[in-house]
């Protein structure tokens, strides 16, 4: 009833078990807990004795295991878990002795038995969040998580608890896989799966929960100097050493005023496609029209409506440079196209003709979600909506306005945008232990320079706490 270990060869049953998790790591149970209680399997079926050690005669032959170990039974320091080669039973050595010191014993775990490990709870609500809430905490900062993008049981537990406790805010670190990791997309409508190598899709769990705040990392004042290496890397062959790639869509008109504060930005096309005077893609607000069809996969039927207007369409496999020329010939004053780049290997989509086309009107490319918003506004509100282009939006000079390259990115597997916000997480000073020499010298503040979304999350949680306290 108390999870007692099996009794064999004189070994008394004890209430501690040696267990291993799915990855093979070992740990011990707490008192009166079985391996199953901890969500693990038993290293030795039935468990092995925890705080009893075995004695051997002068020839190394086993005598008994009735002796108390000279060690702390809660950590098992200086003792090794061994296996009897004759019957596979688990035994512990005496203090500071190894399995190889005895005849007929080999090590179950070559580096010795690990100390009890920190494990996430089986149920995030009653086993973690309820304790914090009972203590009066309503913001929970968690700098841990896994790398899998799956929406699993633990993620659902976070969402469920936050939904049932609307004043409680879980916050999780986004992860640090954005710089090095690759990630696969879900299959598209044709069953094709793409591989991202630029940080997209690296957000793990439970930070991918719907009802938590996922915190990414920005640079800090301690970070190294900002350069344009990210633009150069992402744009590849299109990089022209200029920083005028980003432009903003301005929404106006009697029916578009409610969207005037929408922050919609995109990239200009390559100069080989269009070359406005002085590279200026800005455009005064004008009426807009959506092409019919929007994907240009058949002949455009509404060219007569394009004169003096901004033209919107979806960039897909059917786009040709002759389509752009037809819009210009029809009198279009600017073009805004949008693309769903989630199902592409390249993060930034840039139109390049390869050789000059002679076009001179502003043309920018915006993300698919924002493009669909503009399309719906224009189709539903008609002449009541005007669109313009302003910029360029130069790279931010404040370090904290720039993402840290290591920060994991969305989208999630169900295409939600994450992380939800970012906070400084690069080169952050954290507490550190002092050496004897530092203590002797009178130092009272040990600190260490650290990077990670695990640093950004408590900073964001502290800001949220101040905000909650104020209101």
């Amino acid at each position: 009833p108390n999870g007692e270990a099996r009794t064999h060869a004189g070994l008394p049953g004890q209430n501690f078990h040696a267990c291993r998790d799915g990855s093979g790591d070992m740990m011990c149970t707490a008192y009166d807990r079985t391996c199953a209680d901890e969500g693990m399997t038993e290293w030795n079926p039935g468990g092995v004795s925890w705080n009893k050690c075995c004695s051997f005669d002068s020839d190394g032959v086993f005598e008994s295991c009735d002796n108390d170990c000279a060690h702390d039974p809660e950590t098992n320091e200086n003792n090794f878990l061994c296996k009897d080669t004759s019957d596979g039973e688990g035994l512990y050595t005496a203090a500071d002795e190894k399995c190889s010191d005895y005849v007929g014993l080999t090590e179950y775990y070559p580096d010795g038995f690990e100390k009890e490990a920190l494990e996430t709870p089986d149920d995030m609500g009653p086993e973690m969040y309820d304790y914090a809430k009972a203590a009066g905490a309503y913001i929970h900062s968690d700098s841990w998580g896994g790398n899998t993008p799956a929406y699993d049981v633990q993620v659902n537990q976070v969402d469920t608890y936050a939904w049932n406790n609307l004043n409680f805010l879980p916050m999780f670190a986004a992860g640090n896989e954005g710089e090095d990791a690759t990630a696969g997309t879900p299959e598209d409508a044709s069953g094709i799966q793409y591989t991202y190598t630029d940080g997209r899709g690296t957000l793990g769990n439970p930070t991918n929960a719907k009802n938590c705040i996922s915190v990414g990392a920005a640079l800090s004042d301690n970070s190294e100097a900002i350069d344009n290496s990210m633009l150069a890397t992402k744009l590849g062959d299109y990089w022209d050493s200029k920083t005028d790639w980003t432009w903003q869509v301005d929404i106006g008109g009697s029916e578009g005023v409610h969207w005037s504060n929408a922050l919609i930005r995109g990239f200009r096309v390559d100069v080989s496609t269009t070359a406005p005077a002085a590279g200026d893609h800005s455009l005064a607000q004008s009426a807009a029209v959506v092409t019919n069809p929007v994907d240009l996969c058949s002949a455009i039927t509404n060219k007569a409506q394009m004169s003096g207007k901004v033209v919107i369409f979806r960039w897909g496999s059917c786009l040709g440079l002759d389509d752009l020329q037809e819009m210009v010939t029809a009198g279009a004053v600017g073009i805004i196209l949008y693309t769903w780049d989630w199902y592409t290997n390249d993060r930034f989509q840039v139109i390049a003709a390869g050789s000059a086309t002679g076009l001179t009107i502003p043309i920018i490319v915006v993300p698919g979600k924002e493009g669909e918003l503009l399309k719906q506004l224009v189709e539903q509100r008609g002449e009541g909506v005007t669109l313009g282009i302003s910029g360029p939006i130069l790279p931010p000079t404040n370090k904290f306005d720039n993402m840290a390259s290591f920060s994991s990115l969305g989208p999630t597997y169900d295409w939600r945008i994450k992380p939800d916000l970012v906070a400084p997480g690069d080169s952050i000073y954290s507490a550190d232990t002092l050496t004897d020499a530092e203590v002797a010298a009178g130092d009272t503040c040990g600190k260490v320079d650290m990077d990670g979304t695990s640093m950004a999350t408590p900073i964001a949680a502290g800001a949220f706490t101040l905000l909650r306290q104020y209101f």
Side-chain angles (χ1 to χ4, degrees):
N2 293 322
E4 295 179 351
R6 175 176 49 190
T7 299
H8 58 80
L11 272 72
Q14 300 296 328
N15 293 336
F16 295 90
H17 285 236
C19 314
R20 58 181 170 186
D21 61 18
S23 59
D25 292 334
M26 297 179 59
M27 66 172 287
C28 63
T29 63
Y31 184 74
D32 276 348
R33 297 277 289 179
T34 66
C35 297
D37 292 333
E38 307 293 350
M40 296 177 291
T41 58
E42 293 181 353
W43 189 260
N44 217 21
V48 295
S49 297
W50 172 249
N51 58 348
K52 294 289 180 179
C53 290
C54 305
S55 61
F56 298 79
D57 63 19
S58 58
D59 296 325
V61 177
F62 170 79
E63 288 184 335
S64 70
C65 289
D66 294 329
N67 306 304
D68 289 331
C69 288
H71 71 284
D72 183 353
E74 293 184 0
T75 62
N76 200 41
E77 290 180 347
N78 302 322
N79 293 81
F80 285 77
L81 174 64
C82 309
K83 177 170 61 177
D84 190 332
T85 55
S86 65
D87 56 11
E89 301 295 354
L91 309 168
Y92 286 112
T93 67
D96 296 317
E97 293 183 340
K98 296 181 179 180
C99 302
S100 57
D101 294 333
Y102 305 109
V103 174
L105 293 185
T106 59
E107 293 182 1
Y108 251 118
Y109 197 64
D111 297 324
F113 197 71
E114 291 187 339
K115 296 181 180 180
E116 188 166 352
L118 179 65
E119 296 285 333
T120 57
D122 291 332
D123 193 324
M124 299 281 284
E127 296 183 23
M128 187 168 77
Y129 288 151
D130 276 348
Y131 291 103
K133 188 175 180 182
Y138 286 88
I139 296 173
H140 207 282
S141 177
D142 291 276
S143 291
W144 58 271
N147 295 330
T148 173
Y151 188 94
D152 60 13
V153 173
Q154 193 173 63
V155 182
N156 180 261
Q157 291 170 355
V158 174
D159 277 339
T160 300
Y161 193 88
W163 176 256
N164 292 329
N165 299 269
L166 298 180
N167 289 327
F168 191 89
L169 180 64
M171 302 181 71
F172 282 93
N176 306 315
E177 303 297 320
E179 194 168 29
D180 302 318
T182 61
T185 69
E187 293 182 353
D188 65 13
S190 301
I192 299 174
Q193 186 178 41
Y194 299 87
T195 300
Y196 296 148
T197 58
D198 53 18
R200 286 178 298 167
T202 54
L203 196 98
N205 64 16
T207 192
N208 61 342
K210 301 173 184 179
N211 297 334
C212 82
I213 297 295
S214 176
V215 184
L219 300 183
S220 73
D221 288 341
N222 300 326
S223 300
E224 296 179 359
I226 302 171
D227 58 29
N228 294 317
S229 59
M230 186 188 76
L231 273 176
T233 300
K234 300 306 183 185
L235 292 173
D237 294 338
Y238 302 125
W239 174 242
D240 55 9
S241 299
K242 296 181 179 179
T243 57
D244 65 340
W245 280 89
T246 307
W247 296 76
Q248 181 166 309
V249 177
D250 301 316
I251 305 174
S254 60
E255 295 292 328
V257 63
H258 298 296
W259 299 94
S260 60
N261 292 323
L263 190 61
I264 299 178
R265 293 178 177 177
F267 274 179
R268 64 170 171 83
V269 299
D270 183 65
V271 292
S272 64
T273 301
T274 188
D280 186 4
H281 284 260
S282 62
L283 179 67
Q285 291 198 15
S286 307
V289 62
V290 178
T291 62
N292 185 19
V294 68
D295 59 2
L296 306 183
C297 285
S298 59
I300 301 173
T301 62
N302 61 339
K303 288 183 286 185
Q305 303 172 21
M306 295 181 181
S307 181
K309 296 181 180 179
V310 177
V311 176
I312 300 173
F313 68 89
R314 185 172 70 236
W315 177 13
S317 59
C318 297
L319 172 63
L321 292 176
D322 55 337
D323 294 311
L324 301 179
Q325 183 61 64
E326 288 184 19
M327 297 174 198
V328 172
T329 302
V333 295
I335 296 174
I336 299 175
L337 55 144
Y338 63 95
T339 178
W340 294 98
D341 61 355
W342 291 343
Y343 279 123
T344 60
N345 294 330
D346 298 322
R347 182 175 182 185
F348 298 120
Q349 300 294 295
V350 176
I351 290 183
S355 58
T357 63
L359 303 183
T360 59
I361 66 170
I363 304 177
I364 66 171
V365 184
V366 301
K369 183 178 180 180
E370 284 79 2
E372 285 289 344
L373 169 63
L374 296 176
K375 172 180 175 291
Q376 294 296 327
L377 278 175
V378 171
E379 288 182 335
Q380 295 180 23
R381 303 300 180 181
E383 297 292 336
V385 174
T386 59
L387 299 178
I389 302 173
S390 60
I393 309 299
L394 300 178
T397 56
N398 292 321
K399 293 181 181 179
F400 54 79
D401 284 330
N402 289 266
M403 287 289 292
S405 59
F406 58 76
S407 188
S408 291
L409 305 173
T412 65
Y413 244 37
D414 55 351
W415 301 122
R416 286 177 290 113
I417 296 175
K418 289 269 185 174
D420 301 292
L421 55 85
V422 298
D426 179 73
S427 192
I428 302 297
Y429 288 128
S430 183
D432 194 19
T433 55
L434 293 171
T435 64
D436 292 340
E438 290 170 332
V439 173
D443 194 347
T444 60
C445 182
K447 60 183 181 181
V448 60
D449 193 329
M450 300 186 71
D451 305 328
T453 56
S454 290
M455 308 303 292
T457 304
I459 291 176
F464 270 64
T465 302
L466 292 174
L467 188 65
R468 181 184 178 92
Q469 181 184 41
Y470 182 84
F471 289 102

